[in-house]
Structure formats: structure tokens, C-alpha cells
């Protein structure tokens, strides 16, 4: 008799490789790191590819296979190896790392619309920092509204946009080599072996985080590993294909940028506008004007808009649904009639606006963009450390965590590779805190250093406070952690401290850094004093 069970569908390894590629690398990642390291980034890409990206991807494969019954998510990996609290805290830090990412995405949409509308990068010369922040916040509001109505279609559109972005990148590389074949010249001179060797100094260490940020994301495809017909043999093939595609894009893409930009004298706004400059220069080379730049601009806006809408929804739902009532306050888990976590959205938007406001006193719109991007190069690698932490835990007791796919059968060798990746990522995270793209020791450098610490403390620190707020909710007769008067006082004090710190940080007064620290300490003490006393307790125990 024929089986009445539905026929199971499998994902082929080439499809999984393509899905991985969209989450791992993009054209903008090339320009970001090209400005940091010049042509030397080619060597960095090769080193990272073989000593980091491939091991990282294969570790994700084993973790996804071990915890396939839980969907293969990062939070379930840590929860399954280290308990409920670390599982919750992983979910929180993963969410917190997404906040600067969505702010950066919203900023990029504003920049992309400027190019698509004006056909040039003059937006940064005509738009003040305040208006830049305003339009970024408006972008959040629009997409919070849109995502609840068009969520599934936008997920599809973001995938299409990602593939289109890859197509534009391949087109750029091919047309660059065609231009050279037609007699075009290379802007970076001299072009020799020494040109592509980076200078391994302190600045190099501060740029590692952005390299890791550019190449992480493979954990997003972990749930699909168990949907392969033969994961033990097919998953490594998918990762080899991913490595080949990534190598092609990063090596030849970076070389192509060196054709149009002099790596020794790069534009200061290359991170914000470099992708558009590149396609503009390519169009001029083939005498077709700005047509390629316009195509790329709308592709960028289309992709980022869909991505932002999906991110705002997915990151909030992930945080609310993947953390238990023991750690997450019910005020954040509350959903409206449509099943949307409205207060979670408000928290996401509020912290996104806070991150944007931190940079509002930087000298220019370009400085804000660069700072936000570099903030991703701190927080994102920091969260990636959880992956290697979980891998080390399962290989320390491999009999307890069996899987269909095993990366390196020898446990000692697997552990050494896991520790290698963890240490590299940790070092990149720490050194990434030092500001980039500004003069060392300048007032802007110190201000960026301060707001780097403020952003990290606020985003990660809130995660340690939430379980305490939850416990207060449980003890309260009314189910609220604080009274309405306490909430008003806490939020008012917080707002005063934030506005005051931003004003002092952006001023040119003497000892402004000390005043920022002093005001912050005073504000924290006032907030603690307001919220210390618990009212309406069920019991004092």
C-alpha cells in the first residue's frame, strides 16, 4: 500500500548556499571595509574566509542539527547548553544587536531616496542632522504601520531584492573587467603585491569587527539544515559553494572598487555614498550617464524598505515569543486584538530613536552614518560570540549532543577551532569600541567613544533589568511593577538625563565629558530612588 503521509520536500544544497549568501554579504559591505583598509582588504577577505567564515558556517551546521527539534535558533542553542537565563539573555542581546542595524537600515533608505530622487549625493550638504534624525524616525513609523498589513509579501520582496542586489554586484564586477579590457585605467596606483597587503596595526584591529559584521548571518539558515535530504554530505557542499561565491564577490568586488577609486585617497563619505559613486563611475565609463546608478538606487531602496519592515516585526516577535514569562515583563508581552506586540514595537522604536539621538551632535550627517555603521561592528560580533560559546559547550560533551552532521570528528581539534573563532570575535568586539573615521584624540573621537559605551550599556543593560521588573510584576497586586506615578517619574528623569547628556556631549564646554558622566550617575541614582519602594505587594516575602 502507498503511504498516506504527505511527501516530504527537501532543500537542495545549491538553494541553501544561495539562501546563505543573501544573509552573509552584500555590495555595501565591500565599500564599508574598502574605506577602512583600502586594497589591503582583499587579503583580509581571503584570511577571514578560510580561517573564520568557513569554520563558522560549519559550526552553525552542527548546532542546527543538534537542536533541530527547537527550530535551530541561536537562543535555543544557548538555552539547550547553558540553561533558561542565558537562553533569555542571548535572545535579548540578539535583539539589542538588531537595534543599531535597523537604525542603520532606516538611515540607508533616506540616503538611497536622496540619490534616487536627486541623482547625486548632495543630500548630506542640504540636510541638517536634526532633519536626518527626523526622517529616520518617520521611516520607522511608516514601516511599523506597513509591516502589520503586508508582512508575508514583504518577506518575499526582500528575498527578491537580495537576489537583485547580488545580480547588481556581479554586473558591476563583470562590467569593470570589460572596461579594463576596452582600455580603461586603474585609479589605484601603484597596483602591486604590496598594495593588497594590509598594515597590521591598532587601526587594523579596530576594523576587524566590521569585517565580521559583514560576513556573519549564517545562523539564520540553521533551521533549514534538517530539511536537506543528506545533511552530512550536502551541507558541506553548500558551504563550499557559499565560500566560492563569497570569495568571488569580496576579492573581485574589492579589486573593482580599486579600479574606480584611488585606494590611497578615498572620499570621506565612501561608506555612505560609495556604492552610488561606484555605479555612477561605471556608467560614465560606458557613456550611459547615471542610468546604472539610478537602477542601483531603486534596487537599494526597494530591498532595504522590505528588509526594514520584516526586521522590525521579526526582531520584536522573536524577543517577545522566545523568552519566558519568568524573564520578560508582561507589559512587553502584551498583544493587541490583531496579535501584534504593540508595546514591544514601542520599545524597539524608542530605543532606535535613542540610538539615533546619540549621534545627533556629531559634526555631519556623514559622521552619523559612519558612527552607526561602526556601532554595528561592535555589537554584532559581540552577539556572534554566543554561537562559538554554544559550539564549545556541545563539543565538551559531544555524547550528550548527538547530530546527523558533525563538524570535525575529533573533539579536541573541534574545540581548538571553536576557541579560535571565539577569541578572534571577542578581540574584534573589544577593539571595535575605539572610534573610526575620525582623528584619534579629537573631540569627535572622544564623543564617539562615550556614546559607544552609552549605547552598549543601555542596550545590554536593559536585558539584566527586565527579569527584576518581571519579579516585581509577579509580587504586585495590580500586576504592575511600578505605580503610574513611579513610571512617570522614571521616564521623566530618564528623558532629562538623555537630553542633558546629548546637549553636554555636543557642546564645546570644558570638562564636558566629566559633566556627562556626573549627570548620568545623578540620573541613575534618582531613577533608583523613585522606583525603589514596592507598593501593592501580595506579600512581603
Amino acid at each position: 500500500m502507498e503511504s498516506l503521509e504527505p511527501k516530504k520536500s527537501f532543500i537542495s544544497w545549491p538553494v541553501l548556499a544561495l539562501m546563505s549568501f543573501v544573509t552573509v554579504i552584500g555590495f555595501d559591505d565591500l565599500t564599508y571595509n574598502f574605506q577602512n583598509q583600502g586594497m589591503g582588504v582583499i587579503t583580509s577577505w581571503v584570511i577571514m574566509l578560510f580561517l573564520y567564515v568557513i569554520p563558522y558556517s560549519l559550526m552553525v551546521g552542527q548546532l542546527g542539527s543538534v537542536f533541530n527539534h527547537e527550530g535551530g535558533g541561536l537562543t535555543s542553542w544557548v538555552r539547550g547548553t547553558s540553561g533558561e537565563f542565558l537562553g533569555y539573555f542571548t535572545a535579548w542581546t540578539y535583539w539589542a544587536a538588531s537595534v543599531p542595524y535597523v537604525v542603520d537600515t532606516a538611515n540607508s533608505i533616506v540616503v538611497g531616496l536622496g540619490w534616487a530622487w536627486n541623482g547625486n549625493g548632495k543630500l548630506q550638504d542640504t540636510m541638517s542632522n536634526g532633519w536626518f534624525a527626523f526622517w529616520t524616525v518617520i521611516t520607522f513609523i511608516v514601516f511599523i504601520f506597513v509591516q502589520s498589513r503586508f508582512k508575508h509579501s514583504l518577506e518575499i520582496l526582500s528575498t527578491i531584492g537580495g537576489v537583485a542586489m547580488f545580480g547588481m554586484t556581479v554586473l558591476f564586477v563583470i562590467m569593470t573587467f570589460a572596461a579594463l579590457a576596452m582600455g580603461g585605467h586603474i585609479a589605484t596606483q601603484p597596483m602591486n603585491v604590496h598594495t593588497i597587503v594590509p598594515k597590521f596595526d591598532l587601526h587594523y584591529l579596530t576594523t576587524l569587527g566590521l569585517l565580521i559584521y559583514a560576513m556573519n548571518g549564517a545562523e539564520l539558515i540553521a533551521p533549514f539544515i534538517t530539511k536537506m535530504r543528506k545533511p552530512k554530505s550536502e551541507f558541506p557542499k553548500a558551504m563550499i559553494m557559499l565560500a566560492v561565491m563569497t570569495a568571488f564577490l569580496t576579492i573581485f568586488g574589492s579589486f573593482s572598487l580599486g579600479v574606480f577609486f584611488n585606494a590611497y585617497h578615498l572620499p570621506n563619505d565612501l561608506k555612505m555614498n560609495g556604492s552610488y559613486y561606484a555605479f555612477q563611475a561605471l556608467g560614465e565609463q560606458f557613456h550611459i550617464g547615471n542610468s546604472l546608478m539610478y537602477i542601483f538606487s531603486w534596487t537599494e531602496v526597494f530591498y532595504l524598505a522590505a528588509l526594514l519592515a520584516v526586521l522590525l516585526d521579526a526582531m520584536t516577535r522573536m524577543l517577545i515569543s522566545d523568552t519566558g514569562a519568568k524573564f520578560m515583563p508582561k507589559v512587553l508581552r502584551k498583544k493587541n486584538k490583531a496579535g501584534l506586540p504593540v508595546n514591544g514595537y514601542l520599545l524597539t522604536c524608542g530605543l532606535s530613536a535613542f540610538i539615533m539621538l546619540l549621534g545627533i551632535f556629531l559634526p555631519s550627517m556623514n559622521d552619523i552614518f559612519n558612527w552607526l555603521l561602526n556601532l554595528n561592528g561592535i555589537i554584532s560580533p559581540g552577539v556572534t560570540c554566543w554561537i562559538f560559546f554554544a559550539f564549545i559547550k556541545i563539543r565538551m560533551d559531544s555524547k550528550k549532543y548527538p547530530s546527523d552532521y558533525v563538524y570535525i570528528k575529533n573533539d579536541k581539534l573541534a574545540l581548538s577551532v571553536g576557541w579560535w573563532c571565539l577569541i578572534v570575535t571577542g578581540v574584534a568586539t573589544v577593539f571595535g569600541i575605539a572610534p573610526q573615521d575620525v582623528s584619534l584624540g579629537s573631540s569627535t573621537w572622544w564623543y564617539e567613544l562615550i556614546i559607544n559605551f552609552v549605547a552598549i550599556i543601555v542596550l545590554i543593560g536593559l536585558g539584566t533589568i527586565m527579569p527584576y521588573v518581571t519579579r516585581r510584576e509577579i509580587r504586585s497586586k495590580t500586576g504592575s511593577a511600578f505605580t503610574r506615578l513611579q513610571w512617570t517619574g522614571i521616564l521623566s528623569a530618564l528623558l532629562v538625563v538623555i537630553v542633558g547628556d546629548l546637549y553636554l556631549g555636543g557642546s564645546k564646554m570644558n570638562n564636558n565629558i566629566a559633566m556627562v558622566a556626573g549627570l548620568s550617575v545623578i540620573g541613575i541614582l534618582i531613577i533608583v530612588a523613585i522606583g525603589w519602594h514596592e507598593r501593592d505587594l501580595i506579600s512581603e516575602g
Side-chain angles (χ1 to χ4, degrees), residues 8 38 68 86 156 232 250 253 284 319-320 346 401 405:
K8 185 177 180 180
N68 61 81
L86 279 185
I156 296 171
K232 186 180 293 186
T250 54
E284 292 174 358
L319 176 66
I320 304 305
L346 290 175
Y401 301 102
Y405 170 73

Side-chain angles (χ1 to χ4, degrees), residues 37-84:
Q37 298 186 13
M39 292 295 287
V41 77
I42 293 176
T43 301
S44 296
W45 287 126
V46 174
I47 293 173
M48 289 292 293
L49 188 65
F50 289 101
L51 297 184
Y52 187 87
V53 177
I54 294 177
Y56 158 61
S57 302
L58 295 174
M59 288 180 205
V60 165
Q62 182 169 352
L63 286 164
S65 182
V66 169
F67 298 101
N68 61 81
H69 57 287
E70 296 185 39
L74 175 59
T75 303
S76 65
W77 303 344
V78 177
R79 182 188 292 118
T81 57
S82 306
E84 286 292 329

Side-chain angles (χ1 to χ4, degrees), residues 207-222:
T207 63
L208 277 179
L210 207 57
L211 276 170
I212 293 175
Y213 166 66
M215 304 186 86
N216 66 10
E219 68 274 9
L220 297 176
I221 54 93

